[in-house]
Amino acid sequence: MELPERIDAVEPSGDTSQAVYRFALRQTAVTAADVAAALALDVGAAEDHCAQLADLGLLAEDTRASPTVFRAVDPETAGERVLGPLERVIRTRRQRAEEVRTRLLEFSQVYEEQPVRTDSRGTVEFLASLSSTRAAIVELAAKCESEVLTAQPGGGRRAEVLEEAISRDEAMLRSGVRMRTLYQHTARFSPGTREYVDRVSRMGAEVRTLDDQFIRVLLFDRRAAVIGVESDPGSAIIVREPNLIHFIAETFDLWWLNAAPFPLEWSNQEVADIADQLKQRIALLLSEGLTDQTIAKRMGMSVRTCRRHIAEIMERLGAKSRFQAGFLLSARTEVFTAPEEPGAPEDR
């Protein structure tokens, strides 16, 4: 299912477009020429504004008439018509991302069962220590020619890790390598991570965040991938097998489509929106009966912060226990959220 072609690019200029919409509301039907005459616009500008409002669903256009006739539509009806397909696409992609996550976990379990860590062609290699993992990443980064994709779950990154990464990443960016990086939403509240993102973004890197956990992976030129080992954070697997590389790249692209851009400057509303998304995800995981520790790990935050969010959700539900909260959440669809203060750390 594809997104509507133009809705994601609609940016009507506020005052003029509102004036066009207000004029259309007072008429049974209007043309672009009517709008131009009434609002002292040239016909081309009037056509653009009518087209933009039509993309938003606020004007219904009848192309059978000549010239095209527009009729005003109330915003609620417009929202149902335009946002409905988009929301269905998002739900479908999130479901697909969950399916991919499950498949990746199945691959990890299969790998862990194998006594030999390298196949006969040397396309899969196990790195048993943090030093060997870092050395491999440095080597792959030095040879990278066109693209590096990075998925780093777990919230904000440690200062020493960022210091090690920044010079390597800046060198790749200076050489023309395209860089896309994924974090979890909680990384937005880490000052060190924000500083790192600011530096690499100014050099052309793209950074986005997701509300849920994903697998740690670095993919170089879609030829070699370094994948973290769940049971041993210092270890890693290097994959060069083409079919697995294709699967990893497709998975990353799915994550990327569902992620939101990492903002370099905050607004109160953006902070509130991210806090709401975090609480929505925590509420969902709570309704599934997961423990505080499991939820915290999935969300990339400390257990203490996770329990604070859970307490706020339970208070809004009026629940006296986790069991009661889970029951109420499974029976209700409302989102129980409250805005956070700007800059409040999510992983304390």
Side-chain angles (χ1 to χ4, degrees):
M1 183 182 296
E2 297 294 329
L3 288 171
E5 293 182 1
R6 300 176 58 185
I7 187 63
D8 59 343
V10 171
E11 295 180 358
S13 53
D15 293 342
T16 304
S17 290
Q18 290 179 18
V20 172
Y21 182 60
R22 190 176 292 110
F23 173 70
L25 284 171
R26 294 198 296 265
Q27 316 299 320
T28 302
V30 298
T31 65
D34 296 333
V35 171
L39 301 180
L41 301 172
D42 63 62
V43 174
E47 289 175 344
D48 288 342
H49 284 289
C50 288
Q52 290 169 352
L53 290 170
D55 285 337
L56 284 172
L58 293 169
L59 291 182
E61 53 184 329
D62 184 355
T63 56
R64 295 173 299 178
S66 183
T68 299
V69 171
F70 298 91
R71 293 178 174 80
V73 177
D74 69 276
E76 183 175 352
T77 300
E80 292 175 356
R81 184 176 70 83
V82 176
L83 293 178
L86 289 175
E87 290 171 345
R88 286 194 293 273
V89 168
I90 291 171
R91 286 195 297 270
T92 299
R93 286 179 173 170
R94 183 173 291 279
Q95 181 180 357
R96 175 57 180 158
E98 292 296 332
E99 292 171 354
V100 169
R101 187 199 311 281
T102 300
R103 288 202 62 195
L104 283 174
L105 290 175
E106 291 172 355
F107 274 99
S108 296
Q109 293 169 0
V110 171
Y111 181 82
E112 290 296 326
E113 293 169 359
Q114 303 306 308
V116 179
R117 298 292 186 167
T118 304
D119 72 7
S120 59
R121 295 173 296 167
T123 56
V124 178
E125 179 183 357
F126 180 74
L127 304 173
S129 67
L130 181 59
S131 59
S132 59
T133 299
R134 286 176 172 173
I137 291 173
V138 169
E139 180 181 356
L140 289 169
K143 295 178 179 178
C144 189
E145 298 176 350
S146 61
E147 179 188 54
V148 59
L149 308 177
T150 305
Q152 295 285 1
R157 303 176 72 191
R158 301 191 309 276
E160 61 270 22
V161 174
L162 293 171
E163 288 175 7
E164 177 186 349
I166 190 64
S167 59
R168 180 184 68 235
D169 294 347
E170 287 181 336
M172 283 192 289
L173 289 166
R174 278 193 295 268
S175 68
V177 172
R178 184 191 179 195
M179 182 177 295
R180 288 190 287 159
T181 300
L182 276 174
Y183 293 120
Q184 288 184 262
H185 282 342
T186 46
R188 298 185 180 204
F189 299 92
S190 165
T193 305
R194 290 181 59 80
E195 181 180 353
Y196 165 85
V197 171
D198 180 70
R199 286 180 61 174
V200 296
S201 296
R202 293 179 188 279
M203 298 182 68
E206 299 176 79
V207 184
R208 295 185 181 182
T209 63
L210 281 170
D211 61 354
D212 204 350
Q213 188 182 31
F214 42 86
I215 293 174
R216 189 180 308 278
V217 61
L218 290 84
L219 182 58
F220 297 91
D221 288 336
R222 303 202 177 211
R223 295 176 182 173
V226 180
I227 305 175
V229 176
E230 179 69 20
S231 59
D232 184 359
S235 302
I237 303 166
I238 298 182
V239 176
R240 292 186 175 88
E241 202 285 319
N243 292 299
L244 285 177
I245 290 293
H246 176 73
F247 182 77
I248 293 166
E250 289 291 307
T251 300
F252 184 96
D253 289 338
L254 274 173
W255 291 338
W256 189 260
L257 285 173
N258 286 281
F262 193 120
L264 298 180
E265 296 183 359
W266 285 95
S267 70
N268 289 349
Q269 186 58 49
E270 286 173 329
V271 174
D273 289 345
I274 288 299
D276 284 353
Q277 290 180 40
L278 292 172
K279 286 189 174 65
Q280 288 178 43
R281 175 58 59 173
I282 290 172
L284 175 62
L285 298 176
L286 183 63
S287 69
E288 293 176 354
L290 301 184
T291 65
D292 295 353
Q293 290 79 5
T294 301
I295 295 174
K297 184 176 181 181
R298 283 280 296 267
M299 299 300 297
M301 62 178 60
S302 68
V303 176
R304 175 186 174 187
T305 299
C306 179
R307 285 173 175 163
R308 175 167 58 83
H309 286 302
I310 291 174
E312 292 173 3
I313 294 169
M314 290 176 62
E315 182 179 357
R316 286 178 171 267
L317 284 166
K320 302 300 183 183
S321 67
R322 286 176 57 92
F323 176 81
Q324 185 183 15
F327 175 79
L328 292 173
L329 283 168
S330 66
R332 299 173 64 173
T333 59
E334 294 92 345
V335 177
F336 302 95
T337 56
E340 297 283 342
E341 292 298 323
E346 284 292 333
D347 193 13
R348 299 187 283 198

